[in-house]
Structure formats: C-alpha cells, structure tokens
Amino acid sequence: MADPLSEVISLLRPQAPSTKLAHASGPFRVCRDDVDEVFYCMLLAGQAKLEVEGHAPVNLTAGSFVLIPAIAPFAVSSLVPPPPAGLVSQPVAGADGITRIGTLDGPAEVEMLVGHCSFGSPDAALLVSLLPDMILVQGEDRLAALATMVQSEARADRPARDAVVEHLLQILLIEAFRSTAQPDETSALISGLTDARVGAAIRAIHAAPDYPWTVPELAREAGLSRSAFFARFSRIVGVAPMGYLLNWRMTLAKDMLRLGNHGIAEVSDMIGYGSPSAFSTAFARHVGAPPGEYARMAAAG
C-alpha cells in the first residue's frame, strides 16, 4: 500500500540552500521577518527560546528539533539571561565557518544547527497545507544524527552533493513528521492517516489514483455509511473526499507533465481519466492552463 506521507514529501522536492553551525553566548535575539524559505533548527547544546508568529513561545533544550514548513516570521533568543527589550543581534560569520551571535568572545553557551530549505515543487503551497505548520521534536537521537549529516554534506565539496542533501532532507522531514506528538498541531493529512476509518480511504486513493473512486466506494474502504464517511472525512481532512482525490490527481499530473516523461494521454490514463479530452478540461479548470501549455511552460522555465 502506498505511503501518502512519503509521497507528499518526495513531491515537495526539498533543497538546502543554506545550513550553518551557530554559537551564541550572553543575551541575544535574532529576528527574521523576511522569510521566504522553510526554517529548521537543531539545538546541540544549551537552551534558547523560539518565537514563531501565530504560535506560543517554545523553550528549546539540547536535542530539540524545530521545523517550520509554513513560512512565518520568527525569532530565536537566549533563555538565560533573557535579552533586554528591543535587542536585535547581528550574526557574525567566522573564518572557521561558525556563525557567532551575542557576545563574540568566550565559550559558546548555546550551539545550534540552523538552516533553510526550499521546496522545488510548484505545488508546494498545496502540499505544505497538508503538513503541520510547525513541528517540535524533543529527544530524538535519529533527528540529531540526520541534521548533522545534512550540515556536513552541505558544506562538503563532494560529487553529487546536492542530490545527497536533498535525500537527507527528505529523510529528516519524514522523521520529524513521524515523531510529531502534538495532537493540536497535527496536519490534515496526518490527522486523516491516524484516523482508522479516514486513513483507509486516503491510502486507497494513494494506492490507486487511477481507479474511478466514488464516495460510496471510499466509504466501503473506511467501513462507514456514505453520509457518515463524507462528514467524517470532510471534518478531519478539511476538504470533501472527491476534492481531496482531485487535488491529488492534479498534483501527480503536474509533476508528470513537468518531468516530461509521459504524454498527455498517458498522464490522463495514469490518474484515472477516461479520455485525454476529459483530463484536459479538468486540468485546465483546476490549474488555469491546458496540460500541453503547462508542460511547455515547465520545460521553458
């Protein structure tokens, strides 16, 4: 059976344009409000406070991992001593490759691996909407090891470095989402997957996106009546079952057209449309351009 979470993360195509080791001491506060990439932070030693717009402040301790797929302004500051009001620290890059924050001399009181990753998929907004908008994981050694590998590989000059970093980030994302334990921050996708009835229907959709699914058939997969299934799916996932199916089919279609390995007729058949004309009509209505035009624009861009 297909794993929807792995599929979503793979389609996001994470890339790591920036990753660095930062040492901080004394009172400090680093703010970012011009964020256009996904932020992650692994605290290696000490403690710090993370403030993300729309969320309550979070105290980070050694081993904490935070990832923010939904782009939002944030600030990282010292916990002890707390920074004075209005303090904004300017990170200073050292010749040794370590970025220093706060008091520049003396031993580091806080050590963290911080970075930004971007999502190469033009469907990133849709896919990210299916994932938690902020993830905090405490005490997971596997995440710490993966984050260290991302840092090491990103700073190395090795063959196929970019491909390795991309795959490590995919694993890092999957591990983070697996480890998420906060029910109130669980995404629509993970909420659906963790619901025994709705999860069965989502997995059926991902296992066979080309099948002519109907609400009654998906309800049978879930072991519910049609009305109970429709209401439960819509409430938990935030979109009706057929809307979820359409969004996923169009995401797959755009990815295949962008890669250029399949013709329109093949794509139509692989995502369950009876004819290329029916697929083209649905694609143009959903995307805003016919599949052929979309493929040409993707190849040119």
Side-chain angles (χ1 to χ4, degrees):
M1 187 69 75
D3 179 358
L5 181 57
S6 295
E7 286 189 83
V8 169
I9 293 170
S10 178
L11 283 172
L12 277 171
R13 296 180 181 173
Q15 301 160 355
S18 169
T19 184
K20 58 190 175 185
L21 183 63
H23 287 179
S25 60
F28 70 88
R29 181 188 288 112
V30 179
C31 303
R32 288 292 303 272
D33 57 8
D34 59 343
V35 180
D36 57 3
E37 295 172 319
V38 177
F39 171 74
Y40 63 88
C41 172
M42 168 68 71
L43 207 68
L44 304 177
Q47 51 187 343
K49 176 183 287 187
L50 174 70
E51 297 171 277
V52 179
E53 186 177 274
H55 291 267
V58 174
N59 291 341
L60 306 178
T61 57
S64 297
F65 177 83
V66 177
L67 186 139
I68 310 169
I71 296 165
F74 65 89
V76 178
S77 60
S78 55
L79 199 57
V80 180
L87 174 67
V88 177
S89 305
Q90 297 300 321
V92 177
D96 56 0
I98 298 175
T99 297
R100 287 175 170 77
I101 306 169
T103 304
L104 301 183
D105 53 357
E109 297 170 349
V110 177
E111 297 181 17
M112 49 191 165
L113 177 70
V114 297
H116 296 88
C117 59
S118 59
F119 294 141
S121 170
D123 293 311
L126 167 64
L127 296 169
V128 168
S129 73
L130 300 175
L131 302 172
D133 61 0
M134 177 178 167
I135 297 165
L136 170 64
V137 182
Q138 305 275 15
E140 292 284 340
D141 293 338
R142 285 166 61 86
L143 284 174
L146 285 167
T148 300
M149 290 175 68
V150 170
Q151 180 215 18
S152 173
E153 192 67 34
R155 292 172 58 181
D157 186 14
R158 300 188 183 108
R161 178 188 62 184
D162 292 344
V164 173
V165 169
E166 181 173 330
H167 287 300
L168 284 172
L169 277 171
Q170 290 182 5
I171 297 170
L172 187 62
L173 287 170
I174 292 171
E175 285 294 334
F177 296 139
R178 279 176 175 172
S179 303
T180 302
Q182 301 93 324
D184 58 324
E185 294 181 355
T186 303
S187 69
L189 175 62
I190 296 177
S191 293
L193 292 176
T194 55
D195 181 271
R197 301 302 182 88
V198 171
I202 291 177
R203 291 186 176 90
I205 287 172
H206 282 256
D210 59 330
Y211 185 80
W213 293 108
T214 63
V215 171
E217 286 178 306
L218 289 172
R220 281 195 291 274
E221 292 285 336
L224 294 169
S225 69
R226 181 188 183 283
S227 59
F229 167 71
F230 186 91
R232 185 165 177 160
F233 191 105
S234 301
R235 174 176 55 82
I236 292 175
V237 180
V239 64
M242 291 297 100
Y244 182 91
L245 174 63
L246 174 63
N247 286 343
W248 185 245
R249 282 175 169 172
M250 291 299 130
T251 295
L252 294 174
K254 290 165 74 175
D255 193 62
M256 286 187 280
L257 291 169
R258 190 166 48 249
L259 293 175
N261 296 328
H262 303 284
I264 293 174
E266 289 179 289
V267 174
S268 171
D269 185 59
M270 291 169 72
I271 64 169
Y273 279 83
S275 69
S277 61
F279 163 64
S280 296
T281 299
F283 188 92
R285 183 184 303 116
H286 187 83
V287 177
E293 181 180 340
Y294 178 86
R296 287 190 296 272
M297 290 189 298

